[in-house]
Coordinates of all heavy atoms in Angstrom, one line a residue:
L573 N 3.6 38.2 41.2 CA 2.5 37.8 40.2 C 2.6 36.3 40.1 O 1.5 35.6 40.1 CB 2.7 38.4 38.9 CG 1.6 38.2 37.9 CD1 0.3 38.8 38.4 CD2 1.9 38.9 36.5
G574 N 3.8 35.7 40.0 CA 3.9 34.3 40.0 C 3.4 33.6 41.3 O 2.7 32.6 41.3
R575 N 3.7 34.3 42.4 CA 3.2 33.7 43.7 C 1.7 33.7 43.8 O 1.1 32.7 44.3 CB 3.8 34.6 44.9 CG 5.3 34.5 45.1 CD 5.6 35.2 46.4 NE 7.0 35.6 46.5 CZ 7.5 36.1 47.6 NH1 6.8 36.3 48.6 NH2 8.8 36.4 47.6
L576 N 1.1 34.8 43.3 CA -0.4 34.9 43.4 C -1.0 33.8 42.5 O -2.0 33.2 42.9 CB -0.8 36.3 43.0 CG -0.5 37.4 43.9 CD1 -1.1 38.7 43.4 CD2 -1.0 37.2 45.3
L577 N -0.4 33.6 41.4 CA -1.0 32.6 40.4 C -0.8 31.2 41.0 O -1.7 30.3 40.9 CB -0.3 32.7 39.1 CG -0.7 33.9 38.2 CD1 0.2 34.0 37.0 CD2 -2.1 33.8 37.8
M578 N 0.3 30.9 41.7 CA 0.5 29.6 42.4 C -0.5 29.5 43.5 O -1.1 28.4 43.8 CB 1.9 29.4 42.8 CG 2.9 29.2 41.7 SD 4.6 28.8 42.2 CE 5.2 30.5 42.7
K579 N -0.7 30.5 44.3 CA -1.7 30.5 45.3 C -3.1 30.2 44.8 O -3.9 29.4 45.3 CB -1.7 31.9 46.1 CG -2.8 32.0 47.1 CD -2.8 33.4 47.7 CE -4.0 33.6 48.7 NZ -4.0 34.9 49.3
L580 N -3.5 30.9 43.7 CA -4.8 30.7 43.0 C -4.9 29.3 42.5 O -5.9 28.6 42.6 CB -5.0 31.7 41.9 CG -6.2 31.6 41.1 CD1 -7.5 31.8 42.0 CD2 -6.3 32.7 40.0
R581 N -3.8 28.8 41.9 CA -3.8 27.4 41.4 C -4.1 26.4 42.5 O -4.9 25.5 42.3 CB -2.4 27.1 40.7 CG -2.3 25.7 40.1 CD -0.9 25.5 39.5 NE 0.1 25.6 40.5 CZ 1.4 25.6 40.3 NH1 1.8 25.7 39.0 NH2 2.3 25.6 41.2
S582 N -3.5 26.6 43.6 CA -3.7 25.7 44.8 C -5.1 25.8 45.2 O -5.8 24.7 45.5 CB -2.8 26.1 45.9 OG -3.0 25.3 47.0
E583 N -5.7 27.0 45.2 CA -7.1 27.1 45.6 C -8.0 26.5 44.6 O -9.0 25.8 45.0 CB -7.4 28.6 45.7 CG -8.8 28.9 46.2 CD -9.1 30.4 46.3 OE1 -8.1 31.2 46.6 OE2 -10.2 30.8 46.1
L584 N -7.7 26.6 43.3 CA -8.6 26.0 42.3 C -8.4 24.5 42.3 O -9.4 23.8 42.1 CB -8.2 26.5 40.9 CG -8.5 28.0 40.7 CD1 -7.9 28.5 39.3 CD2 -10.0 28.3 40.7
L585 N -7.2 24.0 42.6 CA -7.0 22.5 42.7 C -7.8 22.0 43.9 O -8.4 20.9 43.8 CB -5.6 22.2 42.8 CG -4.7 22.3 41.6 CD1 -3.2 22.2 41.9 CD2 -5.1 21.2 40.6
D586 N -7.9 22.7 45.0 CA -8.6 22.2 46.1 C -10.1 22.2 45.8 O -10.8 21.2 46.2 CB -8.4 23.1 47.3 CG -7.0 22.9 48.0 OD1 -6.4 21.9 47.7 OD2 -6.5 23.9 48.7
D587 N -10.6 23.2 45.1 CA -12.0 23.3 44.7 C -12.3 22.1 43.8 O -13.4 21.5 43.9 CB -12.3 24.6 44.1 CG -12.3 25.8 45.0 OD1 -12.3 25.5 46.3 OD2 -12.2 27.0 44.6
S588 N -11.4 21.9 42.8 CA -11.6 20.8 41.9 C -11.7 19.5 42.6 O -12.5 18.6 42.3 CB -10.5 20.8 40.8 OG -10.7 19.8 39.9
S589 N -10.8 19.3 43.5 CA -10.7 18.0 44.2 C -12.0 17.8 45.1 O -12.6 16.7 45.1 CB -9.5 18.0 45.1 OG -9.5 16.8 45.9
T590 N -12.4 18.9 45.7 CA -13.7 18.8 46.5 C -14.9 18.5 45.7 O -15.7 17.7 46.0 CB -13.9 20.1 47.3 OG1 -12.7 20.4 48.1 CG2 -15.1 20.1 48.1
S591 N -14.9 19.1 44.5 CA -16.0 18.9 43.6 C -16.1 17.5 43.1 O -17.1 16.8 43.0 CB -15.9 19.9 42.4 OG -16.9 19.6 41.4

Side-chain angles (χ1 to χ4, degrees):
L573 190 59
R575 291 189 197 188
L576 292 183
L577 287 171
M578 288 186 284
K579 176 185 175 183
L580 178 59
R581 180 180 65 191
S582 178
E583 184 179 327
L584 294 174
L585 283 170
D586 287 343
D587 291 345
S588 176
S589 176
T590 302
S591 175

